[in-house]
Amino acid sequence: MTEHIQKPKKSKRIQVNILLRMGLSFVIAVAINDILILLFLKVGRVMDRSWFLNFFPYLITPLYIGIFILTFFFLTRQIVKDLIHLERGLEIISEGDLNYRVSVDRQDELGRVAFNINLMAERLQQQIAKERELENTKMEMITSISHDLRTPLTSIIGYIELLRTNSFQNEDEYSRFVQNTYNKAIHLKKMLDGLFEYTRLTSIETRLDLRKIDLFQLLDQLLFEFEPIAQENGINIVKEIGDSPVITLVDSEKIARSIDNLLMNALKYSVKPGTVRIAMRADNQNIIIEVENKGTPVTKEQEKKLFERFYKVDHSRTCGGIQTGAGLGLSIARNIIELHGGTLTLHHFKNIYKFIINLPVEQP
């Protein structure tokens, strides 16, 4: 909320305010009426007008009512002005000027109405800005998906066209075309799977299949499967995960996906030859898993965007022959961890990247 919208501090009731003015109007009307009665009676006696003295009692009631109305109108004119101001403010805001704010400085119901009108206008502004941001994000997402899916699809079409027209010189070249086509198709499937997984994870209907597992065994198995791929790409694995069971309640499939995404990210963007360090420690409240690697430094602005969907630091960046995805890996990893009530953060200093998973031992 912006600073110019201040909630009324006190809670005076406007009914009491009006009743006080009505009582004050009554007292003033009676006082003025009595003074006028005495004045008119004195004038009538002095001028010796008996007809006036006989007719005057009929004027007393209309005179009192008139004085009371005029006094009450005078005392409540500010309330009426504020009501008109509120009505005008609502009209301006309803016409689309959401920057307008109603300036009614009162501590009663009218003040709270003004506060709520201003709050409504601000929230409408925020909602419209959010919708515009979502629309821009959607367009960027469509553009990014189109670009990322078109690249492998274009390659597949090109290889199929070569095979269809027999544009190969020998059996070896034919096998190479088929293998490349297959690799591109697998890459395309992985990108579509990642997109589907991200959509599923961000759905409000996402449910976790929570079961008690040994996180040490899960991580040890993932590293056992990951190590040969790492060695092929000149990456040495350093394990600091201990040797004791770490029992906790998680969705093992999703947690494995999250950790695997972090490992593949480290593999793709590590300096080669290089080292990827994986560590795990636990206490009575939290389980910490760290994935650390040495890579190319990024700017602070780029670092802030690393967890955004479809964001890739540099599309032209080489990954040691490993095909890049759609930029969803880190976003999917963070969503999975947050679904478990944990956090996934990045500590980046110069060219060292440390992704830290913090999971609560007891899941909410």
Side-chain angles (χ1 to χ4, degrees):
M1 192 186 306
T2 54
E3 295 179 356
H4 61 271
I5 301 181
Q6 296 181 353
K7 192 171 184 177
K9 296 178 181 178
K10 298 181 181 179
S11 181
K12 294 181 181 178
R13 299 183 65 83
I14 195 169
Q15 294 97 326
V16 176
N17 208 333
I18 293 175
L19 284 174
L20 288 173
R21 281 162 172 73
M22 187 179 294
L24 186 59
S25 299
F26 174 77
V27 172
I28 293 173
V30 169
I32 295 176
N33 197 56
D34 289 345
I35 293 172
L36 290 176
I37 289 173
L38 293 173
L39 182 63
F40 286 148
L41 287 175
K42 186 176 181 180
V43 172
R45 289 193 185 99
V46 171
M47 297 179 67
D48 194 18
R49 297 287 192 270
S50 59
W51 64 269
F52 178 79
L53 296 174
N54 293 330
F55 180 70
F56 183 73
Y58 296 101
L59 294 176
I60 293 176
T61 300
L63 184 63
Y64 168 75
I65 294 173
I67 294 172
F68 176 82
I69 291 173
L70 289 173
T71 305
F72 184 72
F73 177 79
F74 177 79
L75 292 176
T76 57
R77 72 188 189 284
Q78 187 59 47
I79 296 176
V80 175
K81 286 174 63 177
D82 288 341
L83 282 170
I84 294 172
H85 192 56
L86 286 175
E87 185 272 337
R88 178 58 182 159
L90 279 172
E91 182 181 357
I92 293 173
I93 292 172
S94 67
E95 290 173 352
D97 185 4
L98 297 180
N99 291 316
Y100 183 81
R101 295 294 179 265
V102 180
S103 57
V104 176
D105 187 17
R106 302 181 64 92
Q107 305 299 327
D108 53 17
E109 286 85 348
L110 290 183
R112 290 195 293 277
V113 169
F115 169 78
N116 288 325
I117 289 173
N118 292 337
L119 186 62
M120 176 194 68
E122 181 165 313
R123 287 179 175 173
L124 282 173
Q125 272 188 315
Q126 292 172 349
Q127 183 65 27
I128 291 173
K130 186 177 180 181
E131 288 177 358
R132 286 174 179 169
E133 184 181 353
L134 287 174
E135 185 65 25
N136 291 335
T137 302
K138 184 174 70 173
M139 295 306 297
E140 290 175 3
M141 180 182 72
I142 293 172
T143 303
S144 180
I145 291 173
S146 301
H147 177 272
D148 289 333
L149 296 182
R150 184 177 60 183
T151 302
L153 187 59
T154 302
S155 297
I156 291 171
I157 293 172
Y159 283 121
I160 291 176
E161 179 64 20
L162 291 173
L163 295 171
R164 187 180 68 85
T165 57
N166 296 321
S167 301
F168 50 88
Q169 298 178 358
N170 49 47
E171 190 70 23
D172 289 340
E173 193 169 52
Y174 171 83
S175 299
R176 182 164 59 84
F177 287 171
V178 171
Q179 185 62 43
N180 288 343
T181 304
Y182 175 77
N183 291 340
K184 295 294 182 181
I186 293 298
H187 179 50
L188 184 60
K189 181 180 182 302
K190 286 182 178 179
M191 293 176 68
L192 290 171
D193 287 344
L195 181 60
F196 174 74
E197 180 72 10
Y198 178 82
T199 305
R200 189 161 61 91
L201 286 171
T202 53
S203 170
I204 58 174
E205 299 177 356
T206 301
R207 295 290 182 269
L208 297 176
D209 182 16
L210 297 176
R211 298 181 183 180
K212 281 193 173 183
I213 67 162
D214 183 356
L215 209 54
F216 165 76
Q217 283 190 351
L218 176 65
L219 187 54
D220 191 51
Q221 179 64 29
L222 286 172
L223 293 176
F224 177 77
E225 297 171 359
F226 177 72
E227 199 159 9
I229 304 173
Q231 289 177 353
E232 290 178 5
N233 289 273
I235 297 296
N236 181 45
I237 301 298
V238 176
K239 295 191 292 185
E240 299 176 5
I241 62 175
D243 54 7
S244 302
V246 179
I247 307 300
T248 186
L249 194 66
V250 294
D251 186 323
S252 58
E253 182 182 345
K254 288 184 172 60
I255 287 294
R257 176 66 183 271
S258 178
I259 297 172
D260 185 66
N261 284 359
L262 293 179
L263 292 174
M264 289 305 298
N265 180 78
L267 179 63
K268 290 175 184 177
Y269 299 113
S270 286
V271 175
K272 300 175 180 63
T275 300
V276 173
R277 185 184 72 89
I278 299 93
M280 181 173 68
R281 61 184 183 275
D283 54 32
N284 294 331
Q285 295 182 333
N286 298 292
I287 300 168
I288 308 296
I289 300 174
E290 298 177 354
V291 178
E292 181 181 308
N293 69 288
K294 184 178 181 180
T296 304
V298 296
T299 64
K300 286 291 183 182
E301 187 65 27
Q302 290 173 323
E303 182 181 336
K304 292 177 182 178
K305 295 181 179 180
L306 283 179
F307 287 102
E308 291 184 8
R309 55 187 177 182
F310 305 108
Y311 180 75
K312 288 177 279 189
V313 174
D314 186 355
H315 290 284
S316 63
R317 187 177 172 185
T318 59
C319 300
I322 305 170
Q323 291 174 320
T324 58
L328 288 170
L330 294 179
S331 182
I332 289 173
R334 171 172 276 184
N335 278 330
I336 290 173
I337 300 303
E338 289 178 349
L339 281 173
H340 284 79
T343 59
L344 172 58
T345 55
L346 168 64
H347 289 176
H348 170 232
F349 180 72
K350 292 185 178 179
N351 58 346
I352 303 298
Y353 296 82
K354 182 190 292 185
F355 290 90
I356 304 172
I357 296 174
N358 189 329
L359 284 173
V361 174
E362 293 295 333
Q363 298 299 326

